[in-house]
Amino acid sequence: MSLADLLRKFDPSRSLPYKNRILATSCESTNDLGKLIARSSRDPKASTEPWLLVALEQTKGKGRLGNDWHSPAGGIYVSIVLPAFPTEDILSLPLLTGVGICQSLETMISAPCKLKWPNDVLVGGEKIAGVLIETVARSKDFCHVVIGFGVNYGLAPESARYPTTSIALKSADPPSLPAAARSLVSAVSDELTRSDDLRYAVESLKRLSIHTVGDHLTCRTTDGSVMGRFIGFDSRGFLRLEYDHSELIVSSAELVSPGGETRG
């Protein structure tokens, strides 16, 4: 799809949220571009309008914990820049973003969408989308937040670490790529209006979670790996594990199978 086609099919009259928009057929990383925009305002309390960044390909996409995120042409890669965002509400953002993606995808495909903590969206156990939240110019009370998410639209990128799928593979009559992108952006934007309601975000996570009590999970963190039995989520959306006869709270990690491979 050419840039001219992209601009025409993303007609502003179709009610895309956010007035500041950058649409690109390809870029290195929408999140990196979003961070550049965020850094242009050094004062985290400065009141500016959010930005919406959409690309159909990323040449240097990335995931959590420094992982690469394969972002071939024909996908949907989005970043939303929220300036002067209340620091106390950050915890709700990855949860609400995942909820919005699930709600949008379920209007396009016939299978239910589930959330794999902390940042993956699955359909039938296969990864279809991922979320990455980053902050810039953080202070005690405010920061600039870049909410990034990627969704497989056409072919599912091959991965040695987990099974993948896409909108086209899971839908008998998939919407056009621009229509799918508009639906995803609008659904996520709607959910983000509830960013000050962490209880709602956590309850939504519980409702959509792929994890069930008793699952044995291995968490890879920057400090190493730990394996425990899933017992739920706490009030902040953190993972609760039964570990060594006590409860362990995990705030940030990558879930991997006992064999060490990321579970889709």
Side-chain angles (χ1 to χ4, degrees), residues 12-123:
S13 68
R14 300 192 181 206
S15 303
L16 264 178
Y18 311 116
K19 295 179 180 179
N20 297 324
R21 303 171 190 155
I22 296 177
L23 309 178
T25 53
S26 179
C27 72
E28 289 190 351
S29 163
T30 59
N31 259 35
D32 284 350
L33 181 55
K35 287 189 289 184
L36 285 174
I37 292 172
R39 290 190 186 104
S40 67
S41 177
R42 295 187 178 183
D43 182 1
K45 297 181 182 180
S47 179
T48 57
E49 288 291 323
W51 281 79
L52 171 65
L53 317 174
V54 182
L56 305 186
E57 178 188 35
Q58 293 183 127
T59 58
K60 294 184 179 180
K62 60 183 179 179
R64 298 183 68 258
L65 300 180
N67 291 327
D68 291 335
W69 170 256
H70 189 42
S71 312
I76 300 170
Y77 311 107
V78 178
S79 291
I80 298 170
V81 183
L82 301 180
F85 189 82
T87 304
E88 64 182 2
D89 294 337
I90 288 177
L91 290 178
S92 68
L93 296 181
L95 311 183
L96 294 174
T97 303
V99 171
I101 292 171
C102 284
Q103 291 178 343
S104 173
L105 288 176
E106 288 189 346
T107 68
M108 309 179 205
I109 62 180
S110 56
C113 297
K114 294 292 184 178
L115 296 177
K116 173 191 161 192
W117 187 90
N119 67 325
D120 290 342
V121 180
L122 311 182
V123 177

Side-chain angles (χ1 to χ4, degrees), residues 194-255:
R194 304 192 67 165
S195 60
D196 61 346
D197 190 347
L198 183 57
R199 181 176 179 180
Y200 164 81
V202 174
E203 289 302 314
S204 297
L205 168 65
K206 292 177 180 178
R207 173 172 54 84
L208 294 170
S209 175
I210 197 171
H211 309 298
T212 58
V213 172
D215 284 352
H216 290 275
L217 304 177
T218 298
C219 300
R220 189 181 74 185
T221 71
T222 54
D223 297 322
S225 297
V226 61
M227 183 175 178
R229 190 175 67 89
F230 176 70
I231 55 178
F233 299 102
D234 72 4
S235 61
R236 299 161 294 181
F238 294 168
L239 198 68
R240 297 172 57 217
L241 293 180
E242 182 183 302
Y243 172 75
D244 196 23
H245 305 292
S246 61
E247 181 174 325
L248 176 68
I249 302 297
V250 181
S251 61
S252 178
E254 180 182 18
L255 295 188

Side-chain angles (χ1 to χ4, degrees), residues 136-229:
V136 175
R138 189 165 181 166
S139 70
K140 178 181 177 181
D141 299 316
F142 295 92
C143 63
H144 301 312
V145 180
V146 181
I147 301 169
F149 63 91
V151 182
N152 300 333
Y153 173 80
L155 296 176
E158 293 185 4
S159 173
R161 297 188 300 148
Y162 44 76
T164 61
T165 191
S166 70
I167 293 172
L169 292 174
K170 290 296 184 179
S171 174
D173 184 24
S176 68
L177 190 152
R182 284 196 301 269
S183 173
L184 287 159
V185 169
S186 296
V188 170
S189 174
D190 287 346
E191 286 298 312
L192 293 178
T193 63
R194 304 192 67 165
S195 60
D196 61 346
D197 190 347
L198 183 57
R199 181 176 179 180
Y200 164 81
V202 174
E203 289 302 314
S204 297
L205 168 65
K206 292 177 180 178
R207 173 172 54 84
L208 294 170
S209 175
I210 197 171
H211 309 298
T212 58
V213 172
D215 284 352
H216 290 275
L217 304 177
T218 298
C219 300
R220 189 181 74 185
T221 71
T222 54
D223 297 322
S225 297
V226 61
M227 183 175 178
R229 190 175 67 89

Side-chain angles (χ1 to χ4, degrees), residues 122-139:
L122 311 182
V123 177
E126 299 172 308
K127 183 171 179 176
I128 195 171
V131 178
L132 177 64
I133 310 292
E134 299 184 273
T135 61
V136 175
R138 189 165 181 166
S139 70

